[in-house]
């Protein structure tokens, strides 16, 4: 699924459809961020002598924190969906 595939759900009058759209939009973004963070972590682990600038370290830490928060948010959306009987 791509972001463009969620447009119809997002425009629905039914809150269940909008929750599905919100979940899938967040999930798509989360997976892309996770892939970028994983790639970056592998590169850092492979380099025994890092030459990163402080700005790069901060950026990586922020992206990891963002991934964590997005994962928590996805979990909350999953709980709401379960509670309301919404199949994601």
């Amino acid at each position: 699924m791509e972001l463009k595939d969620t447009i119809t759900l997002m425009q629905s009058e039914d809150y269940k459809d909008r929750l599905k759209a919100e979940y899938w939009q967040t999930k798509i973004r989360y997976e892309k961020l996770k892939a970028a963070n994983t790639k970056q972590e592998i590169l850092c682990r492979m380099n025994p002598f890092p030459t990163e600038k402080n700005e790069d370290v901060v950026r990586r830490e922020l992206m990891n924190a963002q991934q964590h928060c997005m994962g928590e948010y996805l979990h909350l959306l999953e709980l709401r969906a379960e509670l309301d009987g919404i199949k994601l």
Side-chain angles (χ1 to χ4, degrees):
M1 182 177 291
E2 296 179 23
L3 286 174
K4 66 181 179 179
D5 300 326
T6 66
I7 293 171
T8 304
L9 289 171
M10 200 64 189
Q11 295 174 332
S12 174
E13 295 293 324
D14 185 352
Y15 83 94
K16 291 181 178 186
D17 287 340
R18 292 192 309 274
L19 189 134
K20 288 178 192 179
E22 187 173 351
Y23 174 81
W24 284 109
Q25 289 170 3
T26 305
K27 179 84 169 170
I28 291 164
R29 290 181 174 106
Y30 173 85
E31 290 300 330
K32 289 180 181 183
L33 179 61
K34 181 180 175 190
N37 284 344
T38 298
K39 182 178 179 180
Q40 188 63 38
E41 182 178 346
I42 289 169
L43 291 173
C44 287
R45 288 175 182 252
M46 289 175 59
N47 186 357
F49 305 106
T51 57
E52 289 182 302
K53 296 182 272 183
N54 287 339
E55 182 179 297
D56 294 333
V57 172
V58 170
R59 182 175 287 109
R60 192 174 71 249
E61 289 174 355
L62 288 173
M63 289 176 66
N64 285 329
Q66 180 183 357
Q67 179 186 336
H68 175 77
C69 291
M70 288 176 79
E72 291 292 319
Y73 184 56
L74 282 171
H75 180 67
L76 292 173
L77 291 173
E78 289 165 356
L79 292 175
R80 283 187 57 202
E82 181 70 27
L83 184 64
D84 289 345
I86 301 169
K87 184 171 169 37
L88 301 172

